[in-house]
Amino acid sequence: MTPFGARLRALRAERGVTLKRLAEGLQVSAAYLSALEHGRRGAPSAGLVHQVNEFFGLIWDEADELARLARLSHPRVTVNTAGLTPEQTALANRLAQAIHRLTPEAVAALHAVLDSTAQQPKPRLRRPAHSAGRAARGV
């Protein structure tokens, strides 16, 4: 099951919506939605995510979260390690080989490591106050 599939199933359960009813509302097949929920189909399109948001009345943070989960829901991931170090390539391969054996705690720990190393946005360069004043005066 993918993160998007798990959230979609939870939304249906919370709101008492059957797979058939949701499929009719989104104008897709129930088989397609079932495949999405179970991770047998690729990540949903942005258009489908928007339709799901509208169907369930999700706005703001909930809608953003569903879109984020959709982006993380590719059931067959490919990692391009060309140009990376041998250690990074080995890590990608080890993860691919061992992921099915990881405990929920180990998965959470790996997420925490990745979250702590996420690149921070570059700070915007600000012009010193005295430079701004000069520019305004044409100096």
PDB file of all heavy atoms in Angstrom, residues 38-76:
ATOM      1  N   HIS A  38      -3.950  -0.126  -3.129  1.00  0.00           N
ATOM      2  CA  HIS A  38      -3.081  -1.262  -2.818  1.00  0.00           C
ATOM      3  C   HIS A  38      -1.676  -1.140  -3.396  1.00  0.00           C
ATOM      4  O   HIS A  38      -0.857  -2.047  -3.234  1.00  0.00           O
ATOM      5  CB  HIS A  38      -3.729  -2.562  -3.288  1.00  0.00           C
ATOM      6  CG  HIS A  38      -4.916  -2.940  -2.466  1.00  0.00           C
ATOM      7  ND1 HIS A  38      -6.200  -2.543  -2.801  1.00  0.00           N
ATOM      8  CD2 HIS A  38      -5.012  -3.627  -1.315  1.00  0.00           C
ATOM      9  CE1 HIS A  38      -7.030  -2.999  -1.887  1.00  0.00           C
ATOM     10  NE2 HIS A  38      -6.339  -3.655  -0.978  1.00  0.00           N
ATOM     11  N   GLY A  39      -1.379  -0.027  -4.069  1.00  0.00           N
ATOM     12  CA  GLY A  39      -0.033   0.184  -4.587  1.00  0.00           C
ATOM     13  C   GLY A  39       0.268  -0.599  -5.846  1.00  0.00           C
ATOM     14  O   GLY A  39       1.427  -0.850  -6.158  1.00  0.00           O
ATOM     15  N   ARG A  40      -0.759  -0.988  -6.571  1.00  0.00           N
ATOM     16  CA  ARG A  40      -0.546  -1.702  -7.826  1.00  0.00           C
ATOM     17  C   ARG A  40      -0.587  -0.763  -9.030  1.00  0.00           C
ATOM     18  O   ARG A  40      -0.421  -1.197 -10.158  1.00  0.00           O
ATOM     19  CB  ARG A  40      -1.584  -2.815  -7.981  1.00  0.00           C
ATOM     20  CG  ARG A  40      -1.409  -3.926  -6.950  1.00  0.00           C
ATOM     21  CD  ARG A  40      -2.291  -5.114  -7.232  1.00  0.00           C
ATOM     22  NE  ARG A  40      -3.696  -4.778  -7.342  1.00  0.00           N
ATOM     23  CZ  ARG A  40      -4.569  -4.786  -6.333  1.00  0.00           C
ATOM     24  NH1 ARG A  40      -4.159  -5.086  -5.120  1.00  0.00           N
ATOM     25  NH2 ARG A  40      -5.831  -4.478  -6.535  1.00  0.00           N
ATOM     26  N   ARG A  41      -0.828   0.509  -8.808  1.00  0.00           N
ATOM     27  CA  ARG A  41      -0.801   1.531  -9.853  1.00  0.00           C
ATOM     28  C   ARG A  41       0.169   2.616  -9.422  1.00  0.00           C
ATOM     29  O   ARG A  41       0.432   2.803  -8.240  1.00  0.00           O
ATOM     30  CB  ARG A  41      -2.187   2.152 -10.055  1.00  0.00           C
ATOM     31  CG  ARG A  41      -3.207   1.233 -10.660  1.00  0.00           C
ATOM     32  CD  ARG A  41      -2.831   0.743 -12.065  1.00  0.00           C
ATOM     33  NE  ARG A  41      -2.698   1.792 -13.042  1.00  0.00           N
ATOM     34  CZ  ARG A  41      -3.542   2.023 -14.016  1.00  0.00           C
ATOM     35  NH1 ARG A  41      -4.601   1.278 -14.171  1.00  0.00           N
ATOM     36  NH2 ARG A  41      -3.326   3.009 -14.862  1.00  0.00           N
ATOM     37  N   GLY A  42       0.663   3.352 -10.390  1.00  0.00           N
ATOM     38  CA  GLY A  42       1.596   4.432 -10.098  1.00  0.00           C
ATOM     39  C   GLY A  42       0.931   5.553  -9.323  1.00  0.00           C
ATOM     40  O   GLY A  42      -0.270   5.521  -9.031  1.00  0.00           O
ATOM     41  N   ALA A  43       1.718   6.539  -8.995  1.00  0.00           N
ATOM     42  CA  ALA A  43       1.200   7.685  -8.241  1.00  0.00           C
ATOM     43  C   ALA A  43       0.074   8.344  -9.034  1.00  0.00           C
ATOM     44  O   ALA A  43       0.129   8.419 -10.256  1.00  0.00           O
ATOM     45  CB  ALA A  43       2.320   8.687  -7.982  1.00  0.00           C
ATOM     46  N   PRO A  44      -0.954   8.818  -8.346  1.00  0.00           N
ATOM     47  CA  PRO A  44      -2.077   9.458  -9.049  1.00  0.00           C
ATOM     48  C   PRO A  44      -1.666  10.794  -9.644  1.00  0.00           C
ATOM     49  O   PRO A  44      -0.732  11.444  -9.180  1.00  0.00           O
ATOM     50  CB  PRO A  44      -3.112   9.656  -7.941  1.00  0.00           C
ATOM     51  CG  PRO A  44      -2.302   9.775  -6.699  1.00  0.00           C
ATOM     52  CD  PRO A  44      -1.129   8.845  -6.903  1.00  0.00           C
ATOM     53  N   SER A  45      -2.389  11.190 -10.679  1.00  0.00           N
ATOM     54  CA  SER A  45      -2.117  12.480 -11.312  1.00  0.00           C
ATOM     55  C   SER A  45      -2.558  13.613 -10.392  1.00  0.00           C
ATOM     56  O   SER A  45      -3.385  13.421  -9.487  1.00  0.00           O
ATOM     57  CB  SER A  45      -2.881  12.586 -12.629  1.00  0.00           C
ATOM     58  OG  SER A  45      -4.277  12.658 -12.373  1.00  0.00           O
ATOM     59  N   ALA A  46      -2.021  14.792 -10.643  1.00  0.00           N
ATOM     60  CA  ALA A  46      -2.427  15.966  -9.873  1.00  0.00           C
ATOM     61  C   ALA A  46      -3.917  16.228 -10.045  1.00  0.00           C
ATOM     62  O   ALA A  46      -4.596  16.643  -9.106  1.00  0.00           O
ATOM     63  CB  ALA A  46      -1.618  17.188 -10.302  1.00  0.00           C
ATOM     64  N   GLY A  47      -4.442  15.945 -11.233  1.00  0.00           N
ATOM     65  CA  GLY A  47      -5.867  16.133 -11.487  1.00  0.00           C
ATOM     66  C   GLY A  47      -6.722  15.224 -10.625  1.00  0.00           C
ATOM     67  O   GLY A  47      -7.745  15.654 -10.074  1.00  0.00           O
ATOM     68  N   LEU A  48      -6.314  13.973 -10.484  1.00  0.00           N
ATOM     69  CA  LEU A  48      -7.082  13.043  -9.644  1.00  0.00           C
ATOM     70  C   LEU A  48      -6.996  13.463  -8.181  1.00  0.00           C
ATOM     71  O   LEU A  48      -7.997  13.412  -7.459  1.00  0.00           O
ATOM     72  CB  LEU A  48      -6.611  11.610  -9.824  1.00  0.00           C
ATOM     73  CG  LEU A  48      -7.436  10.606  -9.029  1.00  0.00           C
ATOM     74  CD1 LEU A  48      -8.829  10.462  -9.631  1.00  0.00           C
ATOM     75  CD2 LEU A  48      -6.754   9.264  -8.945  1.00  0.00           C
ATOM     76  N   VAL A  49      -5.835  13.885  -7.743  1.00  0.00           N
ATOM     77  CA  VAL A  49      -5.684  14.349  -6.355  1.00  0.00           C
ATOM     78  C   VAL A  49      -6.619  15.529  -6.111  1.00  0.00           C
ATOM     79  O   VAL A  49      -7.297  15.596  -5.079  1.00  0.00           O
ATOM     80  CB  VAL A  49      -4.220  14.720  -6.047  1.00  0.00           C
ATOM     81  CG1 VAL A  49      -4.094  15.349  -4.669  1.00  0.00           C
ATOM     82  CG2 VAL A  49      -3.318  13.498  -6.170  1.00  0.00           C
ATOM     83  N   HIS A  50      -6.692  16.435  -7.073  1.00  0.00           N
ATOM     84  CA  HIS A  50      -7.597  17.586  -6.956  1.00  0.00           C
ATOM     85  C   HIS A  50      -9.052  17.115  -6.860  1.00  0.00           C
ATOM     86  O   HIS A  50      -9.817  17.628  -6.035  1.00  0.00           O
ATOM     87  CB  HIS A  50      -7.407  18.518  -8.158  1.00  0.00           C
ATOM     88  CG  HIS A  50      -8.304  19.704  -8.160  1.00  0.00           C
ATOM     89  ND1 HIS A  50      -8.111  20.782  -7.320  1.00  0.00           N
ATOM     90  CD2 HIS A  50      -9.428  19.969  -8.869  1.00  0.00           C
ATOM     91  CE1 HIS A  50      -9.087  21.658  -7.526  1.00  0.00           C
ATOM     92  NE2 HIS A  50      -9.888  21.197  -8.458  1.00  0.00           N
ATOM     93  N   GLN A  51      -9.418  16.142  -7.680  1.00  0.00           N
ATOM     94  CA  GLN A  51     -10.781  15.613  -7.636  1.00  0.00           C
ATOM     95  C   GLN A  51     -11.088  14.986  -6.275  1.00  0.00           C
ATOM     96  O   GLN A  51     -12.184  15.166  -5.738  1.00  0.00           O
ATOM     97  CB  GLN A  51     -10.983  14.555  -8.729  1.00  0.00           C
ATOM     98  CG  GLN A  51     -11.099  15.106 -10.122  1.00  0.00           C
ATOM     99  CD  GLN A  51     -11.288  13.974 -11.108  1.00  0.00           C
ATOM    100  OE1 GLN A  51     -10.332  13.309 -11.472  1.00  0.00           O
ATOM    101  NE2 GLN A  51     -12.527  13.749 -11.506  1.00  0.00           N
ATOM    102  N   VAL A  52     -10.139  14.242  -5.734  1.00  0.00           N
ATOM    103  CA  VAL A  52     -10.333  13.617  -4.409  1.00  0.00           C
ATOM    104  C   VAL A  52     -10.506  14.703  -3.355  1.00  0.00           C
ATOM    105  O   VAL A  52     -11.391  14.613  -2.492  1.00  0.00           O
ATOM    106  CB  VAL A  52      -9.159  12.675  -4.058  1.00  0.00           C
ATOM    107  CG1 VAL A  52      -9.242  12.206  -2.613  1.00  0.00           C
ATOM    108  CG2 VAL A  52      -9.127  11.483  -5.012  1.00  0.00           C
ATOM    109  N   ASN A  53      -9.681  15.752  -3.433  1.00  0.00           N
ATOM    110  CA  ASN A  53      -9.811  16.866  -2.487  1.00  0.00           C
ATOM    111  C   ASN A  53     -11.209  17.476  -2.566  1.00  0.00           C
ATOM    112  O   ASN A  53     -11.831  17.752  -1.530  1.00  0.00           O
ATOM    113  CB  ASN A  53      -8.752  17.939  -2.753  1.00  0.00           C
ATOM    114  CG  ASN A  53      -7.389  17.546  -2.246  1.00  0.00           C
ATOM    115  OD1 ASN A  53      -7.250  16.784  -1.302  1.00  0.00           O
ATOM    116  ND2 ASN A  53      -6.363  18.054  -2.895  1.00  0.00           N
ATOM    117  N   GLU A  54     -11.691  17.688  -3.774  1.00  0.00           N
ATOM    118  CA  GLU A  54     -13.029  18.262  -3.942  1.00  0.00           C
ATOM    119  C   GLU A  54     -14.112  17.315  -3.435  1.00  0.00           C
ATOM    120  O   GLU A  54     -15.052  17.742  -2.777  1.00  0.00           O
ATOM    121  CB  GLU A  54     -13.272  18.618  -5.404  1.00  0.00           C
ATOM    122  CG  GLU A  54     -12.546  19.869  -5.844  1.00  0.00           C
ATOM    123  CD  GLU A  54     -12.966  20.338  -7.230  1.00  0.00           C
ATOM    124  OE1 GLU A  54     -13.538  19.533  -8.013  1.00  0.00           O
ATOM    125  OE2 GLU A  54     -12.724  21.512  -7.525  1.00  0.00           O
ATOM    126  N   PHE A  55     -13.986  16.033  -3.756  1.00  0.00           N
ATOM    127  CA  PHE A  55     -14.994  15.053  -3.347  1.00  0.00           C
ATOM    128  C   PHE A  55     -15.151  15.039  -1.830  1.00  0.00           C
ATOM    129  O   PHE A  55     -16.260  15.020  -1.301  1.00  0.00           O
ATOM    130  CB  PHE A  55     -14.616  13.658  -3.856  1.00  0.00           C
ATOM    131  CG  PHE A  55     -15.644  12.609  -3.539  1.00  0.00           C
ATOM    132  CD1 PHE A  55     -16.655  12.332  -4.448  1.00  0.00           C
ATOM    133  CD2 PHE A  55     -15.613  11.904  -2.346  1.00  0.00           C
ATOM    134  CE1 PHE A  55     -17.616  11.369  -4.167  1.00  0.00           C
ATOM    135  CE2 PHE A  55     -16.565  10.951  -2.051  1.00  0.00           C
ATOM    136  CZ  PHE A  55     -17.579  10.683  -2.963  1.00  0.00           C
ATOM    137  N   PHE A  56     -14.027  15.040  -1.110  1.00  0.00           N
ATOM    138  CA  PHE A  56     -14.060  14.968   0.343  1.00  0.00           C
ATOM    139  C   PHE A  56     -14.091  16.339   1.013  1.00  0.00           C
ATOM    140  O   PHE A  56     -14.140  16.436   2.230  1.00  0.00           O
ATOM    141  CB  PHE A  56     -12.883  14.148   0.879  1.00  0.00           C
ATOM    142  CG  PHE A  56     -13.009  12.677   0.609  1.00  0.00           C
ATOM    143  CD1 PHE A  56     -12.152  12.041  -0.267  1.00  0.00           C
ATOM    144  CD2 PHE A  56     -13.998  11.927   1.228  1.00  0.00           C
ATOM    145  CE1 PHE A  56     -12.268  10.684  -0.526  1.00  0.00           C
ATOM    146  CE2 PHE A  56     -14.121  10.566   0.976  1.00  0.00           C
ATOM    147  CZ  PHE A  56     -13.262   9.950   0.103  1.00  0.00           C
ATOM    148  N   GLY A  57     -14.031  17.411   0.222  1.00  0.00           N
ATOM    149  CA  GLY A  57     -14.064  18.753   0.789  1.00  0.00           C
ATOM    150  C   GLY A  57     -12.799  19.107   1.552  1.00  0.00           C
ATOM    151  O   GLY A  57     -12.859  19.850   2.537  1.00  0.00           O
ATOM    152  N   LEU A  58     -11.664  18.601   1.099  1.00  0.00           N
ATOM    153  CA  LEU A  58     -10.390  18.885   1.778  1.00  0.00           C
ATOM    154  C   LEU A  58      -9.842  20.209   1.283  1.00  0.00           C
ATOM    155  O   LEU A  58      -9.827  20.481   0.078  1.00  0.00           O
ATOM    156  CB  LEU A  58      -9.375  17.780   1.496  1.00  0.00           C
ATOM    157  CG  LEU A  58      -9.796  16.357   1.840  1.00  0.00           C
ATOM    158  CD1 LEU A  58      -8.681  15.387   1.484  1.00  0.00           C
ATOM    159  CD2 LEU A  58     -10.184  16.229   3.291  1.00  0.00           C
ATOM    160  N   ILE A  59      -9.404  21.035   2.198  1.00  0.00           N
ATOM    161  CA  ILE A  59      -8.807  22.320   1.842  1.00  0.00           C
ATOM    162  C   ILE A  59      -7.552  22.542   2.669  1.00  0.00           C
ATOM    163  O   ILE A  59      -7.289  21.827   3.633  1.00  0.00           O
ATOM    164  CB  ILE A  59      -9.795  23.499   2.033  1.00  0.00           C
ATOM    165  CG1 ILE A  59     -10.282  23.561   3.486  1.00  0.00           C
ATOM    166  CG2 ILE A  59     -10.971  23.369   1.077  1.00  0.00           C
ATOM    167  CD1 ILE A  59     -11.104  24.801   3.789  1.00  0.00           C
ATOM    168  N   TRP A  60      -6.803  23.536   2.268  1.00  0.00           N
ATOM    169  CA  TRP A  60      -5.600  23.991   2.959  1.00  0.00           C
ATOM    170  C   TRP A  60      -4.652  22.851   3.292  1.00  0.00           C
ATOM    171  O   TRP A  60      -4.193  22.164   2.422  1.00  0.00           O
ATOM    172  CB  TRP A  60      -5.956  24.817   4.199  1.00  0.00           C
ATOM    173  CG  TRP A  60      -6.884  25.948   3.898  1.00  0.00           C
ATOM    174  CD1 TRP A  60      -8.191  26.045   4.284  1.00  0.00           C
ATOM    175  CD2 TRP A  60      -6.637  27.126   3.128  1.00  0.00           C
ATOM    176  NE1 TRP A  60      -8.756  27.207   3.806  1.00  0.00           N
ATOM    177  CE2 TRP A  60      -7.819  27.892   3.094  1.00  0.00           C
ATOM    178  CE3 TRP A  60      -5.522  27.602   2.451  1.00  0.00           C
ATOM    179  CZ2 TRP A  60      -7.911  29.082   2.429  1.00  0.00           C
ATOM    180  CZ3 TRP A  60      -5.620  28.806   1.788  1.00  0.00           C
ATOM    181  CH2 TRP A  60      -6.802  29.531   1.790  1.00  0.00           C
ATOM    182  N   ASP A  61      -4.369  22.675   4.578  1.00  0.00           N
ATOM    183  CA  ASP A  61      -3.353  21.708   4.998  1.00  0.00           C
ATOM    184  C   ASP A  61      -3.708  20.281   4.606  1.00  0.00           C
ATOM    185  O   ASP A  61      -2.834  19.512   4.210  1.00  0.00           O
ATOM    186  CB  ASP A  61      -3.131  21.789   6.514  1.00  0.00           C
ATOM    187  CG  ASP A  61      -2.466  23.077   6.939  1.00  0.00           C
ATOM    188  OD1 ASP A  61      -1.901  23.775   6.066  1.00  0.00           O
ATOM    189  OD2 ASP A  61      -2.502  23.407   8.137  1.00  0.00           O
ATOM    190  N   GLU A  62      -4.982  19.914   4.720  1.00  0.00           N
ATOM    191  CA  GLU A  62      -5.375  18.551   4.357  1.00  0.00           C
ATOM    192  C   GLU A  62      -5.164  18.300   2.863  1.00  0.00           C
ATOM    193  O   GLU A  62      -4.699  17.234   2.471  1.00  0.00           O
ATOM    194  CB  GLU A  62      -6.830  18.285   4.722  1.00  0.00           C
ATOM    195  CG  GLU A  62      -7.089  18.112   6.202  1.00  0.00           C
ATOM    196  CD  GLU A  62      -8.541  17.802   6.470  1.00  0.00           C
ATOM    197  OE1 GLU A  62      -9.416  18.520   5.946  1.00  0.00           O
ATOM    198  OE2 GLU A  62      -8.802  16.827   7.201  1.00  0.00           O
ATOM    199  N   ALA A  63      -5.509  19.264   2.044  1.00  0.00           N
ATOM    200  CA  ALA A  63      -5.323  19.127   0.600  1.00  0.00           C
ATOM    201  C   ALA A  63      -3.839  19.079   0.256  1.00  0.00           C
ATOM    202  O   ALA A  63      -3.408  18.259  -0.578  1.00  0.00           O
ATOM    203  CB  ALA A  63      -6.010  20.277  -0.136  1.00  0.00           C
ATOM    204  N   ASP A  64      -3.038  19.922   0.881  1.00  0.00           N
ATOM    205  CA  ASP A  64      -1.593  19.913   0.650  1.00  0.00           C
ATOM    206  C   ASP A  64      -0.983  18.580   1.072  1.00  0.00           C
ATOM    207  O   ASP A  64      -0.103  18.048   0.400  1.00  0.00           O
ATOM    208  CB  ASP A  64      -0.908  21.052   1.410  1.00  0.00           C
ATOM    209  CG  ASP A  64      -1.215  22.421   0.827  1.00  0.00           C
ATOM    210  OD1 ASP A  64      -1.704  22.493  -0.325  1.00  0.00           O
ATOM    211  OD2 ASP A  64      -0.971  23.417   1.534  1.00  0.00           O
ATOM    212  N   GLU A  65      -1.451  18.044   2.196  1.00  0.00           N
ATOM    213  CA  GLU A  65      -0.933  16.771   2.693  1.00  0.00           C
ATOM    214  C   GLU A  65      -1.265  15.640   1.722  1.00  0.00           C
ATOM    215  O   GLU A  65      -0.432  14.778   1.445  1.00  0.00           O
ATOM    216  CB  GLU A  65      -1.498  16.469   4.080  1.00  0.00           C
ATOM    217  CG  GLU A  65      -1.073  15.129   4.654  1.00  0.00           C
ATOM    218  CD  GLU A  65       0.420  15.003   4.941  1.00  0.00           C
ATOM    219  OE1 GLU A  65       1.176  15.987   4.811  1.00  0.00           O
ATOM    220  OE2 GLU A  65       0.844  13.886   5.276  1.00  0.00           O
ATOM    221  N   LEU A  66      -2.467  15.628   1.177  1.00  0.00           N
ATOM    222  CA  LEU A  66      -2.837  14.584   0.225  1.00  0.00           C
ATOM    223  C   LEU A  66      -1.965  14.679  -1.032  1.00  0.00           C
ATOM    224  O   LEU A  66      -1.509  13.656  -1.556  1.00  0.00           O
ATOM    225  CB  LEU A  66      -4.320  14.674  -0.132  1.00  0.00           C
ATOM    226  CG  LEU A  66      -4.885  13.474  -0.877  1.00  0.00           C
ATOM    227  CD1 LEU A  66      -4.823  12.214  -0.014  1.00  0.00           C
ATOM    228  CD2 LEU A  66      -6.306  13.735  -1.315  1.00  0.00           C
ATOM    229  N   ALA A  67      -1.701  15.880  -1.501  1.00  0.00           N
ATOM    230  CA  ALA A  67      -0.828  16.059  -2.665  1.00  0.00           C
ATOM    231  C   ALA A  67       0.597  15.594  -2.345  1.00  0.00           C
ATOM    232  O   ALA A  67       1.251  14.959  -3.178  1.00  0.00           O
ATOM    233  CB  ALA A  67      -0.830  17.524  -3.106  1.00  0.00           C
ATOM    234  N   ARG A  68       1.068  15.884  -1.147  1.00  0.00           N
ATOM    235  CA  ARG A  68       2.410  15.435  -0.731  1.00  0.00           C
ATOM    236  C   ARG A  68       2.473  13.911  -0.703  1.00  0.00           C
ATOM    237  O   ARG A  68       3.421  13.297  -1.185  1.00  0.00           O
ATOM    238  CB  ARG A  68       2.761  16.004   0.642  1.00  0.00           C
ATOM    239  CG  ARG A  68       4.189  15.694   1.107  1.00  0.00           C
ATOM    240  CD  ARG A  68       4.427  16.146   2.538  1.00  0.00           C
ATOM    241  NE  ARG A  68       3.767  15.283   3.488  1.00  0.00           N
ATOM    242  CZ  ARG A  68       4.245  14.087   3.886  1.00  0.00           C
ATOM    243  NH1 ARG A  68       5.380  13.629   3.393  1.00  0.00           N
ATOM    244  NH2 ARG A  68       3.597  13.363   4.774  1.00  0.00           N
ATOM    245  N   LEU A  69       1.431  13.280  -0.154  1.00  0.00           N
ATOM    246  CA  LEU A  69       1.403  11.825  -0.105  1.00  0.00           C
ATOM    247  C   LEU A  69       1.375  11.216  -1.499  1.00  0.00           C
ATOM    248  O   LEU A  69       1.998  10.188  -1.747  1.00  0.00           O
ATOM    249  CB  LEU A  69       0.195  11.344   0.707  1.00  0.00           C
ATOM    250  CG  LEU A  69       0.235  11.661   2.203  1.00  0.00           C
ATOM    251  CD1 LEU A  69      -1.069  11.253   2.865  1.00  0.00           C
ATOM    252  CD2 LEU A  69       1.427  11.005   2.870  1.00  0.00           C
ATOM    253  N   ALA A  70       0.663  11.867  -2.421  1.00  0.00           N
ATOM    254  CA  ALA A  70       0.614  11.370  -3.797  1.00  0.00           C
ATOM    255  C   ALA A  70       2.010  11.384  -4.416  1.00  0.00           C
ATOM    256  O   ALA A  70       2.400  10.443  -5.121  1.00  0.00           O
ATOM    257  CB  ALA A  70      -0.362  12.204  -4.623  1.00  0.00           C
ATOM    258  N   ARG A  71       2.770  12.443  -4.141  1.00  0.00           N
ATOM    259  CA  ARG A  71       4.131  12.534  -4.704  1.00  0.00           C
ATOM    260  C   ARG A  71       5.047  11.453  -4.140  1.00  0.00           C
ATOM    261  O   ARG A  71       6.037  11.082  -4.760  1.00  0.00           O
ATOM    262  CB  ARG A  71       4.727  13.918  -4.443  1.00  0.00           C
ATOM    263  CG  ARG A  71       4.093  15.016  -5.273  1.00  0.00           C
ATOM    264  CD  ARG A  71       4.851  16.328  -5.166  1.00  0.00           C
ATOM    265  NE  ARG A  71       4.945  16.838  -3.806  1.00  0.00           N
ATOM    266  CZ  ARG A  71       4.015  17.608  -3.212  1.00  0.00           C
ATOM    267  NH1 ARG A  71       2.932  17.959  -3.878  1.00  0.00           N
ATOM    268  NH2 ARG A  71       4.186  18.033  -1.981  1.00  0.00           N
ATOM    269  N   LEU A  72       4.729  10.940  -2.956  1.00  0.00           N
ATOM    270  CA  LEU A  72       5.541   9.902  -2.309  1.00  0.00           C
ATOM    271  C   LEU A  72       4.998   8.505  -2.567  1.00  0.00           C
ATOM    272  O   LEU A  72       5.364   7.567  -1.866  1.00  0.00           O
ATOM    273  CB  LEU A  72       5.591  10.149  -0.790  1.00  0.00           C
ATOM    274  CG  LEU A  72       6.268  11.434  -0.339  1.00  0.00           C
ATOM    275  CD1 LEU A  72       6.114  11.606   1.166  1.00  0.00           C
ATOM    276  CD2 LEU A  72       7.730  11.416  -0.740  1.00  0.00           C
ATOM    277  N   SER A  73       4.111   8.354  -3.526  1.00  0.00           N
ATOM    278  CA  SER A  73       3.406   7.085  -3.692  1.00  0.00           C
ATOM    279  C   SER A  73       3.732   6.340  -4.976  1.00  0.00           C
ATOM    280  O   SER A  73       2.876   5.679  -5.556  1.00  0.00           O
ATOM    281  CB  SER A  73       1.896   7.337  -3.583  1.00  0.00           C
ATOM    282  OG  SER A  73       1.565   7.695  -2.260  1.00  0.00           O
ATOM    283  N   HIS A  74       4.940   6.411  -5.429  1.00  0.00           N
ATOM    284  CA  HIS A  74       5.353   5.614  -6.586  1.00  0.00           C
ATOM    285  C   HIS A  74       5.665   4.207  -6.067  1.00  0.00           C
ATOM    286  O   HIS A  74       6.607   4.042  -5.302  1.00  0.00           O
ATOM    287  CB  HIS A  74       6.585   6.208  -7.265  1.00  0.00           C
ATOM    288  CG  HIS A  74       6.337   7.551  -7.863  1.00  0.00           C
ATOM    289  ND1 HIS A  74       5.706   7.699  -9.076  1.00  0.00           N
ATOM    290  CD2 HIS A  74       6.602   8.793  -7.412  1.00  0.00           C
ATOM    291  CE1 HIS A  74       5.602   8.985  -9.346  1.00  0.00           C
ATOM    292  NE2 HIS A  74       6.135   9.672  -8.355  1.00  0.00           N
ATOM    293  N   PRO A  75       4.886   3.197  -6.463  1.00  0.00           N
ATOM    294  CA  PRO A  75       5.115   1.854  -5.918  1.00  0.00           C
ATOM    295  C   PRO A  75       6.383   1.183  -6.440  1.00  0.00           C
ATOM    296  O   PRO A  75       6.901   0.271  -5.824  1.00  0.00           O
ATOM    297  CB  PRO A  75       3.871   1.078  -6.336  1.00  0.00           C
ATOM    298  CG  PRO A  75       3.298   1.822  -7.470  1.00  0.00           C
ATOM    299  CD  PRO A  75       3.717   3.251  -7.317  1.00  0.00           C
ATOM    300  N   ARG A  76       6.905   1.648  -7.563  1.00  0.00           N
ATOM    301  CA  ARG A  76       8.141   1.082  -8.117  1.00  0.00           C
ATOM    302  C   ARG A  76       9.150   2.214  -8.279  1.00  0.00           C
ATOM    303  O   ARG A  76       9.167   2.915  -9.285  1.00  0.00           O
ATOM    304  CB  ARG A  76       7.856   0.434  -9.465  1.00  0.00           C
ATOM    305  CG  ARG A  76       7.005  -0.800  -9.332  1.00  0.00           C
ATOM    306  CD  ARG A  76       6.765  -1.451 -10.687  1.00  0.00           C
ATOM    307  NE  ARG A  76       5.812  -2.514 -10.545  1.00  0.00           N
ATOM    308  CZ  ARG A  76       4.504  -2.391 -10.772  1.00  0.00           C
ATOM    309  NH1 ARG A  76       4.018  -1.232 -11.177  1.00  0.00           N
ATOM    310  NH2 ARG A  76       3.689  -3.403 -10.614  1.00  0.00           N
TER     311      ARG A  76
END
